[in-house]
Amino acid sequence: MAEPVYRRVVIKLSGEYLAGSQSFGIDQPTIDRIADDLIAARHLGTEVAVVVGGGNMVRGVQVSSQGVSRTTGDTMGMLATVMNCLALESAIERKGTPAQTLSAFVMPEISELFTRGAAHKYLAEGKIILLGGGTGNPFFTTDTTAVLRAAEIGADAVLKATNVDGVYSADPKKDPSAKRFDRLTHSQAIAGGYKVMDATAFALARETSLPIIVFSIAEPGSIGAILRGTGHGTVVAG
């Protein structure tokens, strides 16, 4: 088997994707399929950390627009990410692979607190780690969390698993003439205002020299394909 392109990665999963065809909540077949992909990625020899959003349950911006303060709304969203991590952890372990949720919040009855030391320990033990609670601070997205955690644990890349197969000049679902990019620099991604990740995440990736690979999670095995260097996605680097 060929060596994976990356030794250690942070995979950013959309919370909305975990709802499957539903508009809210967790779709168990979708969770199980993603768990299979994460396990297959780990079996390639790559150390795998996962940051998942909470949009299938709570979106802080949306909640705050209805009267709750932005800080409280974002905190609710961060708690939703912990629930998603626990669901993924359960699915991964049910399939016989060890996993560990680490949270940005102190919640000893629910999960261990994220520290670099704990992350390194569990990765060295071969566990898939699920990183919940965002950054632990309001006003930051889970995209930014993924880049931050990747920098903290010394990951080689951030894999942004989304609903499209890369970065486009416009929404390809709305604009048939949208151009797909094979490669962009961080600065080009920021200047272009491409919505696949927020500008703070791209800026932090530029500062820490972390490549971001944007690809579609829709096809089973897509994570492994990216890790083998055969996947279809946009590389944002340099």
Side-chain angles (χ1 to χ4, degrees):
M1 183 182 295
E3 287 290 312
V5 176
Y6 303 108
R7 174 186 57 86
R8 177 182 292 170
V9 296
V10 170
I11 299 169
K12 168 58 182 27
L13 292 171
S14 160
E16 289 94 332
Y17 191 80
L18 301 187
S21 60
Q22 307 170 134
S23 60
F24 176 84
I26 290 173
D27 179 61
Q28 195 59 49
T30 300
I31 288 274
D32 287 338
R33 202 272 288 172
I34 291 174
D36 287 335
D37 277 10
L38 294 172
I39 291 167
R42 181 67 194 92
H43 287 168
L44 288 174
T46 298
E47 294 179 348
V48 176
V50 182
V51 169
V52 61
N56 56 321
M57 304 221 190
V58 176
R59 293 192 68 85
V61 173
Q62 183 177 5
V63 169
S64 63
S65 72
Q66 298 169 358
V68 175
S69 73
R70 175 65 187 273
T71 300
T72 299
D74 281 359
T75 301
M76 292 167 66
M78 288 186 279
L79 291 172
T81 72
V82 176
M83 289 191 281
N84 283 337
C85 285
L86 293 174
L88 268 172
E89 179 191 285
S90 177
I92 292 166
E93 293 206 317
R94 192 170 62 249
K95 295 172 181 291
T97 296
Q100 179 73 42
T101 294
L102 299 173
S103 170
F105 298 110
V106 178
M107 297 188 293
E109 295 84 4
I110 297 172
S111 67
E112 190 172 329
L113 182 68
F114 169 83
T115 64
R116 289 177 60 245
H120 287 144
K121 173 180 179 288
Y122 291 125
L123 288 171
E125 292 174 357
K127 291 186 176 182
I128 295 171
I129 60 173
L130 296 311
L131 306 178
T135 66
N137 299 285
F139 301 103
F140 291 95
T141 67
T142 46
D143 284 344
T144 299
T145 301
V147 178
L148 174 63
R149 296 293 185 240
E152 287 181 297
I153 68 174
D156 299 320
V158 174
L159 275 55
K160 164 77 172 182
T162 184
N163 290 319
V164 292
D165 62 346
V167 180
Y168 284 79
S169 58
D171 186 342
K173 295 177 182 176
K174 298 178 180 177
D175 184 356
S177 66
K179 176 187 175 185
R180 182 185 171 280
F181 302 102
D182 288 324
R183 192 174 185 94
L184 290 167
T185 66
H186 297 113
S187 296
Q188 286 171 331
I190 295 168
Y194 306 123
K195 302 300 184 185
V196 71
M197 288 188 93
D198 64 86
T200 305
F202 281 131
L204 182 57
R206 179 177 61 185
E207 179 71 20
T208 53
S209 301
L210 267 167
I212 298 171
I213 298 91
V214 181
F215 69 103
S216 172
I217 190 67
E219 288 297 319
S222 57
I223 295 173
I226 294 293
L227 293 177
R228 289 191 298 271
T230 60
H232 188 62
T234 299
V235 177
V236 183

